[in-house]
């Protein structure tokens, strides 16, 4: 973008843009809805679009931000949507899909990326969060494979899927309770592992703090961690890793 | 003991003991050193002797409690001893062995127990704590096997020792950092697993809280947990489980 | 299992099984329902069956996993079931019993185990969690005795039941609030004590963290701890301890 | 004091004190050393003197505050003194006693109070903190009895001293690790129990947080808690309770 | 009680009681309802009756325990009762009063105690918890005065009531949010202060942990702390302090 | 006020007020409603009125306190009002405005202050809390500008508004999740920054603890922090800073 | 700066600066030492200079950054300096003063500000942190008054200084342990209060977390909080508030 | 590896390997030193070698593990080495380099990887941790650029380096205190950001927990987090991401 800056300044210096246009170009790369400044050229800057985090927003706000993004040609992704958010967005952006167990709405799909993302869960109860990761990665262009319920309590289930997992370029490992899955996976394969802790559990799981800590303390290197239940973040980063792979090819 | 109580009361009722003797029998089953009330008949009551927790005690106190226990015929176990504690106890109870990396002193050995305790560690850095567990279990009569550095970062090291581990009657699984070892072990074998978290790690290991939480949240049942770095407790309980096994045979 | 592995390899080497059969035998010891990989030979490997942790699963998933386990001849245990989970499972596995205060469903019973498990609670409010422990231990074959409301606030209630408690081979001690019961019990008897903290309490009990810490810091050795409100885990381990006792007799 | 205020205003209204004297009387009831405003009439206001908390103060500051209090006729109590603090205070107030294991210095003694304070500890390692409580209560006029090492791991040691404990008017129960002693004591006797948690322990004792939580969650009513290792506070309050007892007799 | 023990043993020795009667006397000082072992002679042992902690108990259990206590001549106190608990208890013990804002039911009143308890709150929102303390102290025989909304944000409101507060023998200081009231009160008066933190607040009040910590760290000695929102405990201990005052007069 | 005190004492000394009047003047600067001691001359003492914190108060209490403040000529501000609180207050003080998304009611407005307060939010979901801050500052007399959704995830949105922000005399920076906005703002401008963390977020945001910690650890000086979601406190302090500015001009 | 930006762009458009000069002006407002990018025009941008946080820096780095700032005409402030840091900086910037108890070095003084900062401490042990605040505020141009040891344990000491405190434009209130001082001060005066928690205390003070929470939960509005022991931040902000006051007069 | 498994089984089936050889191949892919099971073929399995975590290991253990890895042809990386560890390893593996400020030793270098890793720090004090990351990534084959001291307190320093940062394929963003750098960087660029929190800070930074939480809650997606001060993990993962990029090209 600084090279864009140089070009902009050169054009200004050459009289091809006015000072006001230059100021505009430097400052106004968003659409201002008052309650939101929609970063609707984000995919140009950082590779992927902004998402709509629904909690604390009114259904109308969610719908309007969705329309703004859609009209700007961005993929629309709304996370943690309740029924009111979903209804309003579906009314405004009818092409959106509603993945209910993941509280997710998606409209559009980014161009295909090369490479494979594997999403694996420790248990069946982690599927909702893992689905958010898988759907987001797919919407951003990735090919995604899903392996549910291969946690360490019966490690043969993981070992039985090892060869297939090894084909993945990025593995998103999703687990609640003790959260040991990502570390074990990272010790078995040479793909980078995105560790996604979930709030599945009770008592000393502390709402997901326990698996989060487990993953941060992984003995096996090659693991990095996102926030508890942050399927969006894991899916986004998985796609970004694939995208980086082909950026300069 | 209540049946002892009945017998005591019957003997009192029959005039075979005096009221003072009965009061004494009901109350005075320890040796009072002033600063310590040494529970020197503990192995009669709970199966195994009291141990000496050294921190906060003077070397003289440690030595005197050691002598009292030794003279009562108990195994002497002193934990978390610093150099002064160790010197004083060795002077007073010269038959004691000093296992320095575990900050442990032991004199005597309880009768042999049937069965096998396996002590496994996630890493080399956990050996000090694991040694405390292994030595205590051995001093209380158990046969003990040690498997160091079989953590989940390279799970083939654990799987390679699986058959031998399966011979154990109790497994003490020792791990710091992410603490995933006990859960994985419990999913592989039918022996009860005593999970022993260590303070090995840094940052988000929070001095051992992270592996402690991991172990408490183990997806695999068959796991119970002791305090961070509590090798004594794990070794004691492992021996107690063997002892229970033969109590009524 | 490694000896099984040797036998398998020998049979392969001798041409008695094909490579595909061998691969199958090494990898596919579960039933794959897509959303769940049911560990339906777990009791062969670890002694006892897998349980169904209901939260985060749909009623249909719970029912189908239950059927899969039942059909494989396993005891079916579903924990933390809400009303929908329970209805679906009862429809699919009508022989199941629903222990409502413990949110537990059980179908089948493992062969009898030798030995006695005592489950004791500090208060009346701990009964739900304690019942989960007692019912699970019983379903896995144990003889179970229950002692409710013998907490340390009126320690004579515990002392009055001491003789009967001493007949137990394993004691599950259940307490919320201050959680002192397991430590006191462990100081009175020679049975191993499984400490089960509950979330009964308020304020500084921190949802059960306070009794959990109390139990982990028990001065009396012979205590190991499971997760807060984890009646299933305590009952499972209690039965496993009895089972170990007779494994090689 | 408000009745003093009335009297002061009456005397002002009658011309017996000047406005400046009245302002002075309302405001200046301390000695200002610059770095400290010594509350040297505190025992008139709240019954007992101010103590000197040494950490963060220079030895000279400690010594000068000590002299100021002594000269005002107050009992001098300096807590958590290191060797430099102690040396400076002993040089300035040579009549002070230095109780080294409790890091405490005391000069003077308040008038005798009626009633008995019992200080009990769970273990030998708690003696330093308990000594601070006992010495402070004694310096403030209380009769004090000490019972060391009667913790719940061997509860017969406590029961054996029960009758003597019942003579106490206030019991200070001191414990680290699991901290169960105060609750058990409160269930056995009708005296109020001041619970004093210590930092004795390791791992999940969290520097005394574990016994603190235990004590706050005591099932037995009749317990109130002071800060971790706050022997001064417990001893002060114990004496204050005796003092209240005789305030209006 | 040990002197009772001596008398019991003497009577046994003299043949005045049988062994079975002696065993009974030593062990059975409670009424066993199965789900509860009602400590119905607690006021003989510790001065005051057991209370019924309602959460986790069924309405029937609460009602039956209430009847048992009432029939034993104890004051009946049920805390944290929801509407079902209250209805069941009122049906079974119709003489009970229901203090709804404090979720408290009380039947009966202990004999009058000498002395005065002052209950003060920092704010209006703390009144529910403070009322629990005041009502419990009154039911146990204390004279109680209430001072609502005298917190430190407008300290003149406290100073204006100082003279009246100084007449109290025990002060229960109730505060949420920052929880500074007890420390300020303790610096103004010579009565012991029972600090009662409430969960009033939000954000960094952490459900009452913030005022709890404030009170534990009070610079002014003469303060001891009970659990968050534990009005029962504060009122009970306040009455116990008055009772102690007259125990031996 | 002490100069008022001097004047009062002089008038007493001169016989112009009685002792009772003086006592009254010294103590009774509030209106006592029983359940509340309304600090209705607070704006004289500290510059601004007391607010009504609604949680834990009955609607009637809120309404009556509101009437008392209104009748005393104070601005009425009620925070965290639920629908019942709002209805009761609106009935009693019909001139109040109800800002529903901020759960805030306000009646009256303080005299205009010189200077400008800018309230900025990291995201759209922070608007409710930010609105509380903005409305309170405005009610206390400040001119307020609002900049919503300028968080650091798209920092160009903040930079684009930088020049306008620089006109502010105080900036209230509101953010949840990572809470980085206040530190970035403080590094860009020379206005003091009041950092207001919100509970917007999930998982490791810990109900707002994460942004609170971020703000406390700000590398950029010039930042001070208020409680999580404490829009009232931030708005109040922002107005107070403007007011101080003109106090002595 | 954006108006500077407009001017820059206009000059570029007019050919008065080259593209490279414009790029330089937009980007390079710091001195790059490799290991540090010294923000040596910070006082132009944010009103006051950058400070040197010493921990983790080598003495040479501290000295070189100090020289860079001094040579740029900035006030040099180095915080948390150990003896090596101090020696190196004093050698390189000999005009610096070393305030040892505050681990602070200062060279230079900003122009005088109008208005008065009062720094008050709860106790003598808080003086080191308070001195850091006072010295920094003074170095940045403020007039500063210091009031040590006026904490709430003897609130008359605070009330006696009330009139003088009321002359202050900003009050920095410094306290450890319970941390109640800022809230009480804010209830007494109309100046904004910067609350500065210290790590003075032990046990449940949790290294200053307790007073930090107290201050964040202050019932009295008009308080904002800085990090534990952050005397620099409090002093800086206090001076910034005075500076704002006169910015546009 | 499962395809290797198939090949192994086929060779066994064809009689080309013996059963013992097959067992060996399945199990023994490490070198057993007793105290360590060196995973010396890890780079074949997961792409990169095992590292030596020094704390808790004796110098001899560190040296011997180093020799074993070196002799197996692996890159040797020893982290958190103290002086004794370093001396022993340098004696045994003299070709190792000792990067003292990062407590790191490295011998050997993996083949060059395509792509660029940028390591950026918020401040000068974060350099030690960042150097660990940079050196590890370089040793594993990456080209690495370092940008020190570009934190958000003076965000122009970051913006000035933006164009160069945009050339990176992976960015490791290192920050202590508030930890806002990774989120801001992720909002500016399209490279994946590995967030590395450091323990630089004091008070409410809680030893690095504050920046860790900040990074986990990053509003900008494209960020994943490693443990506090885990430079090794960040550098390893950065190299792994580059390696993945070229794995299948």
């Amino acid at each position: 973008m600084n090279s864009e800056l140089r070009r902009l300044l050169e054009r200004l210096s050459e009289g091809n843009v006015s000072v006001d246009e230059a100021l505009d170009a430097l400052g106004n790369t968003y659409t201002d809805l008052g309650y939101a400044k929609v970063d609707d050229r984000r995919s140009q800057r950082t590779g992927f679009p902004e998402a709509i985090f629904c909690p604390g927003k009114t259904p109308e706000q969610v719908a309007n931000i969705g329309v703004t993004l859609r009209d700007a040609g961005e993929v629309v992704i709304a996370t943690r949507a309740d029924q009111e958010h979903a209804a309003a967005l579906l009314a405004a952006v009818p092409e959106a899909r509603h993945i209910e167990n993941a509280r997710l709405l998606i409209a559009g799909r980014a161009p295909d990326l090369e490479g494979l993302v594997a999403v694996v869960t420790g248990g069946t109860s982690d599927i909702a969060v893992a689905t958010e990761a898988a759907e987001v990665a797919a919407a951003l262009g990735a090919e995604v494979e899903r392996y549910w319920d291969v946690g360490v309590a019966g490690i043969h289930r993981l070992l039985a899927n090892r060869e297939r997992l090894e084909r993945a370029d990025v593995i998103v490992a999703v687990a609640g309770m003790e959260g040991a899955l990502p570390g074990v996976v990272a010790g078995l394969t040479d793909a980078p592992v995105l560790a996604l802790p979930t709030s599945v559990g009770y008592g000393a799981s502390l709402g997901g703090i326990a698996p989060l800590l487990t993953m941060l303390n992984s003995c096996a290197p090659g693991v990095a961690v996102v926030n508890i239940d942050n399927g969006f973040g894991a899916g986004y980063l998985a796609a970004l890793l694939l995208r980086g792979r082909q950026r300069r090819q």
Side-chain angles (χ1 to χ4, degrees), chain A:
Chain A
M1 186 165 266
N2 267 23
S3 51
E4 292 172 39
L5 175 58
R6 172 177 286 277
R7 279 190 294 279
L8 179 69
L9 296 185
E10 286 169 353
R11 293 175 63 213
L12 174 64
S13 156
E14 296 154 4
N16 293 329
V17 297
S18 70
V19 167
D20 279 325
E21 286 167 333
L23 275 170
D24 199 58
L26 286 168
N28 270 311
T29 58
Y30 56 82
T31 299
D32 199 336
L33 302 178
Y35 50 81
K37 297 189 172 39
V38 184
D39 195 354
D40 52 8
R41 292 181 220 166
R42 191 173 198 282
S43 61
Q44 292 170 30
R45 189 174 78 252
T46 66
F48 284 135
E50 182 179 29
I52 311 170
F53 176 76
C54 294
K57 296 192 177 67
T58 65
E60 292 68 34
Q61 291 172 339
V62 168
N64 290 342
I65 298 172
V67 167
T68 305
L69 288 168
R70 194 255 329 258
D71 292 352
E74 297 274 16
V75 178
V76 180
I77 301 175
T79 64
R80 297 175 176 261
D82 62 24
Q83 290 304 322
E84 286 72 29
H85 292 129
L89 186 57
L90 286 169
V93 185
E95 65 271 35
R97 287 181 307 123
H98 187 193
I99 302 108
E100 290 200 50
N101 71 330
R103 290 180 297 161
L104 184 71
L105 294 109
I106 294 180
R109 189 173 192 278
D112 278 3
L113 297 165
E114 257 178 58
L116 178 64
V117 173
V119 181
V120 302
T121 73
T124 302
S125 301
D126 302 311
I127 289 178
V129 172
T131 296
E132 191 187 50
E135 293 284 344
V136 166
L140 297 177
E143 183 188 359
V144 178
E145 286 185 356
R146 308 175 188 208
Y147 300 86
W148 294 167
D149 196 23
V150 294
V152 301
I155 206 163
H156 62 294
R157 301 178 300 187
L158 177 63
L159 298 176
N161 288 286
R162 182 176 174 177
E163 191 176 7
R164 292 162 68 200
L165 273 178
E166 292 197 327
R167 294 187 295 109
D169 296 288
V170 186
I171 300 173
V172 177
V174 190
M177 292 184 166
E178 70 197 311
L181 183 63
V184 172
V185 168
L188 287 173
T189 171
D190 64 350
V193 175
L194 300 181
L196 171 47
T198 73
S199 54
V200 169
Y202 59 92
S205 87
L206 302 176
I209 294 293
L212 171 64
L213 292 177
T214 305
M215 295 171 186
L216 286 167
N217 287 286
S218 177
C219 304
V223 178
V225 188
V226 298
N227 193 2
I228 299 161
D229 290 337
N230 185 8
F232 168 73
Y236 181 103
L237 184 52
L240 188 61
L241 294 181
L242 295 192
R243 184 174 174 281
R245 184 182 303 269
Q246 62 209 67
R247 200 164 50 144
R248 288 167 210 198
Q249 286 174 7

